[in-house]
Amino acid sequence: MDPLVRFHDQHPPEAAGSLCEELLAGLTASPKCTSPKFFYDRRGSELFDAICLQPEYYPTRTEEAILRAAAADIAEVVGRDATLIELGSGASRKVRLLLEALHPACYLGVDISRDFLLESTRCLAVDHPWLEVHAAWADFTRPMAWPEGLAGERPVAFFPGSSIGNFTPEEAESFLEGLAALLPPGGGLLVGVDLIKDRAILDAAYNDAAGVTAAFNLNLLRRLRHEFEAEVELDGFRHRAFYNEADSRIEMHLVSLHDQAIRIAGERVDFEAGESLHTENSYKYSIAGFRELAGRAGFEPRAHWTDRDSLFCIHYLER
Ligand code: AVI
């Protein structure tokens, strides 16, 4: 037991068998699709970290710049002594930009990757000896309850990175509804949301010149082969990402280079040349559009902060 971090084992991640069933259901759907959660094995997480450093991928550096510049203003609106709960805390990098200004009563990192969670919350506790640090190993997209024994009276969830954009708007609304049910009146949500913008900026962000996003997308095939024992030609597909203006979303696809089949879990999934597997949506919102969606889920918009070029927005919403 780590003396610096209080660990809460919320629920085990999904079993490999049910993940495989979910994959197969998507691969046999029409059109073929897979959930973006399948990107994130160890290599996928490393590639995502590398995407965040690409010059074309503006969301990470823009959100961090907003947090840095607005930390004092954010603290004024959110208030001190909250129970700060980061959903999908990963490396807990962004929250560091807020901790001194926000001075929460405690911090809870929630993540699905156990080792990563333990490592990063431990580092956070070492660097902030005044802070009570908790870690919950959980899939926050599934129903959960806050663990017992968190200091502070007012929970404030922190959900940066525009990860909310990887849900459909309907999923985002029901996710926010579930979150609202976990917050008492006065509880809050600080959420980073990517903004609708010029398509050239969006297309470039998901087609970086170094090919890191392509490698991230194609890594799904390696994962199918290594983790789910699929027979799949790793060089048989190409990366495609484009902005779908009608639906305000980036779509990522893996396009089959020729007629071929993937064999997985005893099934054969045929692809024609040019047929695509839809691997991710990344929805973009206007400030008003996101406020409306959050309003339908039971949140009141309180404040928002954006950058000079209106690339990205951080909203503070209250129950
Ligand atoms: C994690 N998520 C917010 C990223 C996004 O921009 O939708 C994932 C990503 N996909 C390709 N590049 C980055």
Side-chain angles (χ1 to χ4, degrees):
M1 198 59 202
D2 191 325
L4 291 179
V5 177
R6 278 168 245 190
F7 180 69
H8 308 268
D9 196 348
Q10 289 286 97
H11 40 65
E14 289 168 87
S18 71
L19 285 175
C20 202
E21 269 171 36
E22 187 183 338
L23 268 173
L24 200 57
L27 285 167
T28 51
S30 179
K32 296 177 170 71
C33 60
T34 48
S35 159
K37 75 178 174 197
F38 290 106
F39 285 137
Y40 298 96
D41 62 354
R42 188 165 189 100
R43 187 174 150 79
S45 301
E46 284 165 8
L47 284 166
F48 178 63
D49 286 349
I51 287 175
C52 294
L53 301 175
Q54 297 312 300
E56 299 91 338
Y57 193 75
Y58 61 84
T60 311
R61 62 169 186 278
T62 310
E63 184 179 39
E64 288 179 0
I66 299 170
L67 288 172
R68 229 173 262 121
D73 288 357
I74 293 174
E76 203 158 300
V77 180
V78 174
R80 286 164 72 99
D81 297 321
T83 302
L84 187 62
I85 301 163
E86 184 170 9
L87 303 173
S89 51
S92 302
R93 245 174 68 118
K94 290 176 184 162
V95 78
R96 286 171 178 263
L97 302 170
L98 288 177
L99 283 178
E100 298 300 332
L102 270 186
H103 214 280
C106 83
Y107 168 81
L108 167 69
V110 182
D111 207 279
I112 198 167
S113 166
R114 192 176 185 277
D115 294 346
F116 202 27
L117 173 72
L118 289 178
E119 208 175 292
S120 49
T121 46
R122 181 160 217 290
C123 290
L124 199 73
V126 168
D127 294 344
H128 301 85
W130 54 269
L131 183 64
E132 180 183 308
V133 178
H134 296 249
W137 182 34
D139 177 354
F140 66 83
T141 64
R142 293 158 65 200
M144 67 175 288
W146 306 139
E148 300 278 305
L150 302 176
E153 318 254 285
R154 202 168 42 86
V156 171
F158 179 47
F159 192 30
S162 201
S163 297
I164 195 139
N166 296 130
F167 295 134
T168 64
E170 297 72 29
E171 287 166 348
E173 194 176 322
S174 74
F175 169 72
L176 291 181
E177 255 167 28
L179 189 57
L182 289 176
L183 297 172
L189 167 65
L190 194 60
V191 55
V193 183
D194 199 9
L195 290 169
I196 293 172
K197 61 183 66 63
D198 191 294
R199 72 172 314 135
I201 300 175
L202 286 164
D203 284 341
Y206 292 81
N207 289 285
D208 59 276
V212 184
T213 307
F216 172 74
N217 197 8
L218 288 159
N219 181 57
L220 178 74
L221 302 174
R222 290 169 56 111
R223 188 170 185 206
L224 290 185
R225 184 190 269 188
H226 294 123
E227 211 172 302
F228 298 97
E229 292 167 8
E231 279 176 46
V232 50
E233 193 193 329
L234 298 184
D235 299 329
F237 293 80
R238 72 174 171 85
H239 163 75
R240 178 168 187 238
F242 61 92
Y243 185 55
N244 170 341
E245 205 155 348
D247 292 327
S248 306
R249 69 187 192 202
I250 284 281
E251 292 186 15
M252 289 221 306
H253 296 258
L254 289 170
V255 182
S256 181
L257 294 176
H258 51 79
D259 292 354
Q260 62 180 313
I262 294 181
R263 288 184 178 75
I264 182 168
E267 302 283 335
R268 175 192 157 124
V269 180
D270 289 310
F271 282 83
E272 287 175 9
E275 189 178 351
S276 91
L277 170 62
H278 190 166
T279 52
E280 186 180 59
N281 287 319
S282 188
Y283 283 84
K284 313 300 169 189
Y285 291 92
S286 65
I287 293 172
F290 188 76
R291 282 175 158 224
E292 276 165 31
L293 185 148
R296 289 195 297 275
F299 283 97
E300 285 280 330
R302 287 280 178 255
H304 67 270
W305 298 270
T306 183
D307 54 293
R308 215 182 23 198
D309 301 319
S310 296
L311 295 174
F312 199 91
C313 186
I314 296 171
H315 293 261
Y316 185 60
L317 313 153
E318 259 179 18
R319 270 281 285 131

